[in-house]
Amino acid sequence: WQAAMDLVEQVYLLTQQFPKHEMYGLASQMQRAAVSIPSNIAEGHTRTHSKEYLHHLSIARGSLAELQTQLEISLRLKYGSVEKSASVIAQADLLGKQLSTLRNVLIKNPNP
């Protein structure tokens, strides 16, 4: 959850560099996808059954994939700095690995 919250912060900082005409377009989509990740992790964590938690982790992973695609689009359109974008992409990749690890732990031990 903390890594996802850090990613949200970095996405907001990155999208502040985007052209003003993208504030309600790509920037907004990226922000919503980023916010969805820790939101779904948190919601899933509060659920009674691990199957529900896994469902919310799946949604979080989907939002992460959406964000990763949007980051690639922003790079192709040359929005924001390449260095900052690369840093956010690396952060997103690491979060994806962490979510996969959490998912695998929950599958192996459904009643922690």
Side-chain angles (χ1 to χ4, degrees), residues 28-76:
S28 178
Q29 286 182 297
M30 290 173 69
Q31 292 165 357
R32 286 193 312 269
V35 167
S36 175
I37 300 165
S39 299
N40 275 288
I41 294 169
E43 184 176 351
H45 185 70
T46 65
R47 299 298 177 135
T48 307
H49 302 287
S50 62
K51 188 173 184 179
E52 292 175 291
Y53 194 5
L54 286 166
H55 173 73
H56 282 85
L57 288 178
S58 177
I59 295 169
R61 290 175 70 200
S63 294
L64 179 61
E66 181 181 347
L67 176 60
Q68 289 170 311
T69 299
Q70 294 160 349
L71 284 163
E72 178 63 31
I73 291 167
S74 72
L75 269 175
R76 289 179 180 212

Side-chain angles (χ1 to χ4, degrees), residues 6-35 66-75 77-89 91:
D6 293 342
L7 180 62
V8 170
E9 186 177 348
Q10 293 307 309
V11 166
Y12 269 81
L13 291 172
L14 174 67
T15 56
Q16 286 175 352
Q17 301 174 2
F18 284 14
K20 292 298 175 205
H21 70 272
E22 281 296 347
M23 282 298 122
Y24 299 105
L26 184 59
S28 178
Q29 286 182 297
M30 290 173 69
Q31 292 165 357
R32 286 193 312 269
V35 167
E66 181 181 347
L67 176 60
Q68 289 170 311
T69 299
Q70 294 160 349
L71 284 163
E72 178 63 31
I73 291 167
S74 72
L75 269 175
L77 296 173
K78 297 179 180 29
Y79 293 166
S81 73
V82 174
E83 296 81 17
K84 183 68 176 168
S85 294
S87 173
V88 176
I89 289 170
Q91 198 173 358

